[in-house]
Amino acid sequence: LMALYKGADTAEIGPVRSARPYFIDYVLENDAVYAHFGHTIMAKDHINSENIDDIDGLYLEGTVFWREKSTRNAPHNAMTSMERINNYIASKNIRSTSTDKGFNYVVDDYDLTSETVANKLKIVYSNYHYTSYEYDAETKLYKRSMQGTPHVDAITKEQYTAKNIVITFIENSMLNDTRDIPDKGYQKLANIGTGKGYFVTNGKYEEITWSKSSRSAKTQYLDLEGNEVEFNDGVTYIQIVPINQKVTFE
């Protein structure tokens, strides 16, 4: 998971894990400052070559990051907060504004015109991992689960929800780095080009296409008539799914 925050004051974020090459793609397209804890060799090369404003917990433990030792074991216990991140950004004079407008959010809540129902959906990643959502018609939100178990916030114990879900099918493969093979086995995504997917909101889904013209270009999400997808106000999950896996709706 990679979380995108804008105008948030979240007091505890984590566990924060290491940078991977494909995360850099989405840092670039969202013109973001990248907070992470450690990195693969290739990811660090790309952070440097792409001039990413990054905040690496390997060097900032005890200041921007802390370890939650009472309930978690390393490496799954590196935490941070928006206050600490913003203080660091200010202290280093890192640019904190952007012209990036994020997703195409609309003010007035709307329903898709399609007749395809999405009260439940299951997104399969492998033989041992899947993500699922169930629609709550009262709140008009999707409740998120992993492996059939509610995905809950560690502090509030509340189940995570989404207003919008974007599903994109993208080919993935293993890296085969040749410099003593430091990154061999890590994933890479063929996310430059075009592909198919789904957009889900308010109990319905529609087929969409995605396109990304370069590593730093914004991913475009279009309906089958070529119109940019409109996002209802609220939390959005982007689910990147291997092209050989299945998504089912009920």
Side-chain angles (χ1 to χ4, degrees):
L1 295 175
M2 184 178 83
L4 290 169
Y5 293 90
K6 184 176 182 180
D9 60 357
T10 309
E12 190 166 333
I13 302 169
V16 184
R17 298 301 305 275
S18 61
R20 309 295 167 90
Y22 49 82
F23 285 141
I24 308 302
D25 305 346
Y26 298 100
V27 171
L28 285 167
E29 78 164 63
N30 289 284
D31 192 23
V33 176
Y34 185 25
H36 57 97
F37 203 106
H39 47 77
T40 67
I41 301 300
M42 185 179 289
K44 183 61 174 177
D45 288 348
H46 293 181
I47 286 170
N48 292 337
S49 63
E50 299 287 353
N51 295 314
I52 300 294
D53 289 320
D54 79 308
I55 305 174
D56 192 343
L58 276 183
Y59 314 106
L60 297 168
E61 186 174 338
T63 54
V64 181
F65 296 83
W66 73 88
R67 294 282 186 179
E68 175 50 66
K69 297 180 180 180
S70 62
T71 59
R72 297 173 180 268
N73 296 319
H76 305 280
N77 64 352
M79 313 298 287
T80 188
S81 68
M82 289 308 303
E83 181 180 14
R84 292 194 184 203
I85 289 172
N86 286 328
N87 286 342
Y88 182 83
I89 288 172
S91 71
K92 297 298 181 180
N93 292 318
I94 296 173
R95 178 170 58 90
S96 60
T97 59
S98 174
T99 58
D100 180 73
K101 296 181 179 179
F103 299 122
N104 183 31
Y105 282 105
V106 294
V107 175
D108 296 324
D109 192 81
Y110 80 99
D111 295 331
L112 295 173
T113 58
S114 67
E115 298 300 324
T116 46
V117 174
N119 289 321
K120 295 182 180 180
L121 58 147
K122 181 179 180 180
I123 305 167
V124 176
Y125 282 90
S126 66
N127 292 332
Y128 58 89
H129 179 73
Y130 67 91
T131 300
S132 58
Y133 294 88
E134 184 168 355
Y135 185 59
D136 184 331
E138 183 176 345
T139 62
K140 303 187 78 172
L141 298 174
Y142 283 91
K143 296 179 178 179
R144 192 174 199 270
S145 296
M146 298 179 69
Q147 302 301 97
T149 300
H151 190 187
V152 300
D153 185 279
I155 297 174
T156 67
K157 309 303 180 184
E158 294 181 357
Q159 188 171 4
Y160 289 121
T161 59
K163 183 64 174 179
N164 312 290
I165 304 164
V166 176
I167 300 166
T168 59
F169 292 97
I170 295 177
E171 183 178 4
N172 66 303
S173 57
M174 294 289 187
L175 285 169
N176 189 23
D177 199 348
T178 58
R179 296 160 302 156
D180 297 326
I181 321 181
D183 277 16
K184 184 176 181 180
Y186 286 103
Q187 292 284 304
K188 64 178 179 180
L189 300 178
N191 57 8
I192 297 174
T194 60
K196 297 180 180 180
Y198 300 104
F199 176 65
V200 186
T201 192
N202 285 358
K204 292 184 178 181
Y205 74 93
E206 66 178 3
E207 294 183 42
I208 63 169
T209 63
W210 64 266
S211 65
K212 184 173 170 65
S213 60
S214 68
R215 189 178 197 186
S216 61
K218 196 81 172 177
T219 303
Q220 300 294 311
Y221 305 105
L222 306 176
D223 64 26
L224 296 187
E225 295 180 353
N227 302 308
E228 188 176 4
V229 170
E230 293 183 332
F231 290 74
N232 277 318
D233 186 30
V235 172
T236 295
Y237 273 89
I238 308 292
Q239 303 272 170
I240 299 174
V241 183
I243 58 174
N244 62 342
Q245 294 295 349
K246 293 183 178 180
V247 175
T248 56
F249 296 92
E250 295 181 22

